[in-house]
Amino acid sequence: MHRFQHTAIALLSTAVLSLPAMAQNAPAAPATAASASAYVAPPWTYKTQQLSRNDVDKLLGNPKKLLIIDVRRPDELGKNGSFPVYLSVQIKDLPEALEYIPKDRVILTVSNRAHRAGAAGDLLSSKGYKVAGAVGSLDYAEAGGSIAKITPPPAPATSATTPAATPAATVPAAGPAASR
């Protein structure tokens, strides 16, 4: 028991002595609750231009020449919404989908905060596509743009009982007995 007390005291004193060092290395507490939830974007490292809401609205004004490619997963599309009309190709599947993407349109790539969209834009540009830029649907909505949320239709109601099996048609047996 005596040995346990010395070990506990040693551990406790080490912890107490390290508190000031831990406090110096700890990140500063946010000034307000609003600043804690504010998104801070990482630096833009793509050749594709990151578009503002106004830039996107100008593109949306000429929809016949525009193709919107949303590179997010289906669960993100359902949760966050997207533009009213878009081609959904996940970023991981984009290289295999290139042959299906028309080259006669200007392309706007979309993701949540535009970074995957920037990578998609760079890939498309390198393959000869006309990419206008990349946008984050969350950024666009936060700037006052309108994003559509598509809700799936309700699942069909299932009955509690299994429908009765339809009796099979009876076919007369072949042979002399059947002809009587």
PDB file of all heavy atoms in Angstrom, residues 28-40:
ATOM      1  N   ALA A  28      -6.458  28.567 -28.032  1.00  0.00           N
ATOM      2  CA  ALA A  28      -7.226  29.612 -27.359  1.00  0.00           C
ATOM      3  C   ALA A  28      -8.712  29.305 -27.464  1.00  0.00           C
ATOM      4  O   ALA A  28      -9.184  28.817 -28.485  1.00  0.00           O
ATOM      5  CB  ALA A  28      -6.921  30.964 -27.997  1.00  0.00           C
ATOM      6  N   ALA A  29      -9.417  29.588 -26.414  1.00  0.00           N
ATOM      7  CA  ALA A  29     -10.863  29.373 -26.408  1.00  0.00           C
ATOM      8  C   ALA A  29     -11.508  30.391 -27.334  1.00  0.00           C
ATOM      9  O   ALA A  29     -11.051  31.531 -27.425  1.00  0.00           O
ATOM     10  CB  ALA A  29     -11.409  29.530 -24.993  1.00  0.00           C
ATOM     11  N   PRO A  30     -12.549  29.998 -28.060  1.00  0.00           N
ATOM     12  CA  PRO A  30     -13.208  30.959 -28.949  1.00  0.00           C
ATOM     13  C   PRO A  30     -13.805  32.112 -28.167  1.00  0.00           C
ATOM     14  O   PRO A  30     -14.290  31.936 -27.056  1.00  0.00           O
ATOM     15  CB  PRO A  30     -14.292  30.131 -29.644  1.00  0.00           C
ATOM     16  CG  PRO A  30     -14.432  28.873 -28.856  1.00  0.00           C
ATOM     17  CD  PRO A  30     -13.161  28.695 -28.083  1.00  0.00           C
ATOM     18  N   ALA A  31     -13.754  33.299 -28.779  1.00  0.00           N
ATOM     19  CA  ALA A  31     -14.264  34.490 -28.109  1.00  0.00           C
ATOM     20  C   ALA A  31     -15.767  34.418 -27.916  1.00  0.00           C
ATOM     21  O   ALA A  31     -16.277  34.828 -26.893  1.00  0.00           O
ATOM     22  CB  ALA A  31     -13.884  35.730 -28.914  1.00  0.00           C
ATOM     23  N   THR A  32     -16.457  33.925 -28.917  1.00  0.00           N
ATOM     24  CA  THR A  32     -17.912  33.818 -28.822  1.00  0.00           C
ATOM     25  C   THR A  32     -18.347  32.476 -29.388  1.00  0.00           C
ATOM     26  O   THR A  32     -17.613  31.815 -30.099  1.00  0.00           O
ATOM     27  CB  THR A  32     -18.606  34.936 -29.617  1.00  0.00           C
ATOM     28  OG1 THR A  32     -18.318  34.741 -30.998  1.00  0.00           O
ATOM     29  CG2 THR A  32     -18.194  36.305 -29.159  1.00  0.00           C
ATOM     30  N   ALA A  33     -19.571  32.131 -29.110  1.00  0.00           N
ATOM     31  CA  ALA A  33     -20.106  30.879 -29.633  1.00  0.00           C
ATOM     32  C   ALA A  33     -20.238  30.953 -31.154  1.00  0.00           C
ATOM     33  O   ALA A  33     -20.054  29.965 -31.847  1.00  0.00           O
ATOM     34  CB  ALA A  33     -21.465  30.581 -29.010  1.00  0.00           C
ATOM     35  N   ALA A  34     -20.512  32.125 -31.708  1.00  0.00           N
ATOM     36  CA  ALA A  34     -20.671  32.277 -33.152  1.00  0.00           C
ATOM     37  C   ALA A  34     -19.349  32.042 -33.869  1.00  0.00           C
ATOM     38  O   ALA A  34     -19.306  31.438 -34.927  1.00  0.00           O
ATOM     39  CB  ALA A  34     -21.205  33.665 -33.482  1.00  0.00           C
ATOM     40  N   SER A  35     -18.254  32.520 -33.297  1.00  0.00           N
ATOM     41  CA  SER A  35     -16.968  32.339 -33.960  1.00  0.00           C
ATOM     42  C   SER A  35     -16.520  30.885 -33.904  1.00  0.00           C
ATOM     43  O   SER A  35     -15.758  30.442 -34.742  1.00  0.00           O
ATOM     44  CB  SER A  35     -15.904  33.258 -33.357  1.00  0.00           C
ATOM     45  OG  SER A  35     -15.646  32.874 -32.014  1.00  0.00           O
ATOM     46  N   ALA A  36     -16.995  30.122 -32.932  1.00  0.00           N
ATOM     47  CA  ALA A  36     -16.616  28.716 -32.832  1.00  0.00           C
ATOM     48  C   ALA A  36     -17.238  27.906 -33.958  1.00  0.00           C
ATOM     49  O   ALA A  36     -16.656  26.931 -34.414  1.00  0.00           O
ATOM     50  CB  ALA A  36     -17.046  28.145 -31.481  1.00  0.00           C
ATOM     51  N   SER A  37     -18.407  28.302 -34.439  1.00  0.00           N
ATOM     52  CA  SER A  37     -19.075  27.538 -35.485  1.00  0.00           C
ATOM     53  C   SER A  37     -18.762  28.061 -36.883  1.00  0.00           C
ATOM     54  O   SER A  37     -19.182  27.459 -37.852  1.00  0.00           O
ATOM     55  CB  SER A  37     -20.585  27.554 -35.247  1.00  0.00           C
ATOM     56  OG  SER A  37     -21.063  28.873 -35.391  1.00  0.00           O
ATOM     57  N   ALA A  38     -18.062  29.174 -36.996  1.00  0.00           N
ATOM     58  CA  ALA A  38     -17.762  29.743 -38.303  1.00  0.00           C
ATOM     59  C   ALA A  38     -16.749  28.862 -39.042  1.00  0.00           C
ATOM     60  O   ALA A  38     -15.747  28.442 -38.475  1.00  0.00           O
ATOM     61  CB  ALA A  38     -17.222  31.157 -38.152  1.00  0.00           C
ATOM     62  N   TYR A  39     -17.044  28.588 -40.303  1.00  0.00           N
ATOM     63  CA  TYR A  39     -16.166  27.761 -41.124  1.00  0.00           C
ATOM     64  C   TYR A  39     -14.987  28.586 -41.607  1.00  0.00           C
ATOM     65  O   TYR A  39     -15.151  29.712 -42.072  1.00  0.00           O
ATOM     66  CB  TYR A  39     -16.959  27.219 -42.322  1.00  0.00           C
ATOM     67  CG  TYR A  39     -16.099  26.504 -43.325  1.00  0.00           C
ATOM     68  CD1 TYR A  39     -15.615  25.229 -43.069  1.00  0.00           C
ATOM     69  CD2 TYR A  39     -15.754  27.113 -44.521  1.00  0.00           C
ATOM     70  CE1 TYR A  39     -14.832  24.571 -43.983  1.00  0.00           C
ATOM     71  CE2 TYR A  39     -14.963  26.461 -45.443  1.00  0.00           C
ATOM     72  CZ  TYR A  39     -14.501  25.190 -45.170  1.00  0.00           C
ATOM     73  OH  TYR A  39     -13.707  24.547 -46.082  1.00  0.00           O
ATOM     74  N   VAL A  40     -13.807  28.039 -41.490  1.00  0.00           N
ATOM     75  CA  VAL A  40     -12.611  28.676 -42.011  1.00  0.00           C
ATOM     76  C   VAL A  40     -12.065  27.774 -43.111  1.00  0.00           C
ATOM     77  O   VAL A  40     -11.644  26.648 -42.855  1.00  0.00           O
ATOM     78  CB  VAL A  40     -11.556  28.891 -40.904  1.00  0.00           C
ATOM     79  CG1 VAL A  40     -10.294  29.507 -41.474  1.00  0.00           C
ATOM     80  CG2 VAL A  40     -12.128  29.739 -39.783  1.00  0.00           C
TER      81      VAL A  40
END
